Amino acid sequence: MGMATEANGDKKLRTDCSTVGEVIREERVYPSEEFRASSWISSREQYDEMYRRSVDDPDAFWEKEAEQFFWKTKWDNSDGKMHSENFDLRKGPITIEWFKGGKTNICYNALDRHVKAGKGDAIAMYWEGNELEQNKKLSYKEVLDNVCQLSNFLRSVGVKKGDLVAVYLPMLAELPIAMLACARIGAIHTVIFGGFSAEALAQRLLASGAKVLITTSGYRRGHKVIRMKQIVEEALSRLLEEEGHSIETCLTLANDSAVKRQDVPWTARRDVWWQDVVPRYPTVSHLEWLDAEDPLFLLYTSGSTGTPKGIVHTTGGYMVYTAATFKYTFDYHEGEVYWCTADCGWITGHSYLTYGPFLNAATVLVFEGIPTYPNPNRWWDVIDKYNVNIFYTAPTAVRSLMRFGDAPVKAHHLKSLRLLGSVGEPINTNAWRWLHEVVGNGRCPIVDTWWQTETGGFLITPLPGAWSLKPGSATLPFFGVQPAIIDPEGNELSGEATGALCLKGSWPGVCRTILGDHERYEMAYFGHFKGYYFSGDGCRRDEDGYYWLTGRVDDVINVSGHRIGTAEVESALVSYPMCAEAAVVGYDHQVKGQGIYAFVALKDNTRNFDEIRQALITTVREQIGTFAAPDKIHFAPSLPKTTSGKIVRRILRKIAAKELDDLGDISTLANPEVVDQIIALTGN
Ligand code: 6R9
């Protein structure tokens, strides 16, 4: 049965909220009757009733969700409450606790529990490598065995509950295995995205205080070979020389098909080959029972100012929340093959490639490669090869594949697909329609999931069997989530409204702190609008209560779904000796969603701009990673500033967007003349 696409009754035109800013006809897309009837939440009425319960009595609602897991000790219910929170700085420090006093282990619930229930032979993971011939599959029992061996090794090198273990790996099967092995023994994992440079890796290792690092000799990404251990070596020697910080154990997976053992730098005593030690350990490993509020992992993310923030998630609430959101949003049913194209270096790889799916005993496809290698058929080949039912990806990847036209998709049957998902940035309606019509053949609903590193799991997302979709809208809040749209004066708006997207009251998956800096956590999320968590995103709520995300309203830019702080890029640029000052803004980019536009004032304007431009890009690559390199560098005599010396980005954003008629009032600048000079230099 097909999915009906109907134009909305009044057929009115409106401005699309996506970053691309097209004008579209509002339409609704309904799930087929067959899809609806078999889904967990199969009607708006069912959702409305559950949603009401979830906000009227969150404890009762989440208690029911939590009860399906194994708890060594039940949470403390003595005062009749299993969660407590203060979301309002006026009332004291921000504190959030869910299931406090309860003892559990997320690895037990994600693996042992299923094996004990007789599902040990079910496939936990299909792994498809960068190269066509590379693949493997692992049952739940096999993943558990691997996790136990690795956790025993980690114990043997002194890792204990509460210790930090850093993981710097590409998308090998060993990456989720490493995360689960840490969780098993109560070690806190911090996964550092493989695209980060030596410098960025060193910065995160130092900030986290990790003593153990798990990495690989190297890997292939498309045609490129990346010598990962070489990057690690650079990071570790810099750490030792400049900071006196040393990593005690560096467990290195030999990935001979990319970089051979003999070709990597090696430090005896510190470095060990995974293959030489881990398989020698027993496949049973006792569990560490953790308090629900013990930390599970640390993940660095970018904010609008300063250095990356080490976001801390805890055990119990995160477990219950990722499991519930995975089940209901992806409408997961046993036996289905689920593919999430995210990297475990970001939150999506934590919540919806690892924990959410494994907690639901799902079969997860892990793909190491890129969509265009060896050719643009690769993704569609993979979907047909593994009969993928649920496919979760990012708008930027969809847009990059749209450029190859429909033919590569049409050459595949893709009949197994039942549901599609999108994350990371607003999805523009063109990409939405292409995904829906060409990839999903008009049959598969799209869940456009809005959430953040800090939120742990989905906050605004379709439940695909329960209501109709509007292309480009993340639709309605998940259970227990209370969005609020707030105007610049801090007033919560009702009905149709546009403003800053905030949240009232906690949900189990929200992060609890920033490592070592609770005050920064309080200021960043709870300091703007008292009594609310501020997301940093702008949003519109329409006449049907649907939410439309419009992008960040702070100084964070979203490049191909990678969250980048303008301050980080600026600090890399100004570290280049010839750079006097730099300001970075985002601008609309056809494929990446947003691109990075850097305005740079040099100390000496007589130099060769092309050479300097190249050197500046190299500097950003070295300090952060290739993904953060500016797309455009615009040299300027100086930057527009207020009389107190603050750079006025608002004007630079307009110049980057070529909206020169709409610069606003520039007369209050300390140096209004530079605006014309910058404009005259466009195209530099
Ligand atoms: C999960 C993730 C968070 C920021 C967030 C927002 C943007 C994510 C989105 C979306 C519109 C969606 N974002 N999903 N915007 N629609 N479906 O991406 O986490 O890396 O922390 O980024 O990404 O701007 O604030 P993270």
Side-chain angles (χ1 to χ4, degrees), residues 347 424-426 448-453 537 549 552 558 563:
I347 190 69
E425 51 178 315
D448 176 4
T449 59
W450 176 77
W451 62 298
Q452 314 179 291
T453 304
D537 279 307
L549 277 301
R552 302 287 304 200
N558 193 326
R563 196 170 143 177

Side-chain angles (χ1 to χ4, degrees), residues 256-485:
D256 284 330
S257 64
V259 177
K260 295 215 176 354
R261 288 189 187 209
Q262 61 266 33
D263 297 335
V264 308
W266 200 251
T267 303
R269 280 200 299 277
R270 183 196 69 197
D271 296 349
V272 265
W273 290 112
W274 177 308
Q275 285 91 335
D276 292 354
V277 290
V278 175
R280 293 204 207 128
Y281 284 87
T283 54
V284 280
S285 150
H286 72 264
L287 285 145
E288 200 69 46
W289 297 108
L290 302 183
D291 190 280
E293 284 300 336
D294 279 337
L296 172 63
F297 67 85
L298 175 68
L299 186 61
Y300 285 94
T301 191
S302 295
S304 40
T305 53
T307 51
K309 302 183 275 197
I311 300 296
V312 176
H313 280 286
T314 56
T315 302
Y318 178 84
M319 173 173 84
V320 173
Y321 198 70
T322 53
T325 45
F326 178 84
K327 173 179 168 181
Y328 295 124
T329 299
F330 292 118
D331 190 44
Y332 189 80
H333 288 80
E334 199 175 325
E336 288 191 304
V337 179
Y338 162 82
W339 181 14
C340 167
T341 63
D343 190 292
C344 285
W346 309 111
I347 190 69
T348 307
H350 284 64
S351 302
Y352 300 109
L353 186 139
T354 308
Y355 291 112
F358 289 149
L359 287 164
N360 280 280
T363 298
V364 183
L365 174 74
V366 177
F367 177 47
E368 186 197 8
I370 57 172
T372 48
Y373 177 82
N375 57 53
N377 284 317
R378 187 67 189 275
W379 267 12
W380 322 122
D381 288 344
V382 170
I383 291 176
D384 277 354
K385 178 172 171 188
Y386 294 96
N387 289 314
V388 171
N389 304 111
I390 303 166
F391 180 50
Y392 187 39
T393 191
T396 184
V398 173
R399 287 190 297 265
S400 74
L401 287 170
M402 278 168 76
R403 292 191 302 174
F404 297 96
D406 300 357
V409 188
K410 297 277 190 216
H412 296 77
H413 64 66
L414 307 181
K415 281 201 194 98
S416 57
L417 287 177
R418 194 174 76 82
L419 180 66
L420 301 164
S422 170
V423 63
E425 51 178 315
I427 181 164
N428 52 308
T429 44
N430 280 349
W432 198 102
R433 288 220 185 80
W434 190 79
L435 190 62
H436 184 252
E437 268 119 60
V438 182
V439 178
N441 207 6
R443 244 180 334 105
C444 311
I446 297 177
V447 287
D448 176 4
T449 59
W450 176 77
W451 62 298
Q452 314 179 291
T453 304
E454 295 87 340
T455 71
F458 305 149
L459 292 192
I460 301 184
T461 173
L463 297 183
W467 57 77
S468 58
L469 306 169
K470 296 184 189 182
S473 168
T475 75
L476 301 172
F478 192 75
F479 302 124
V481 173
Q482 302 177 70
I485 294 189

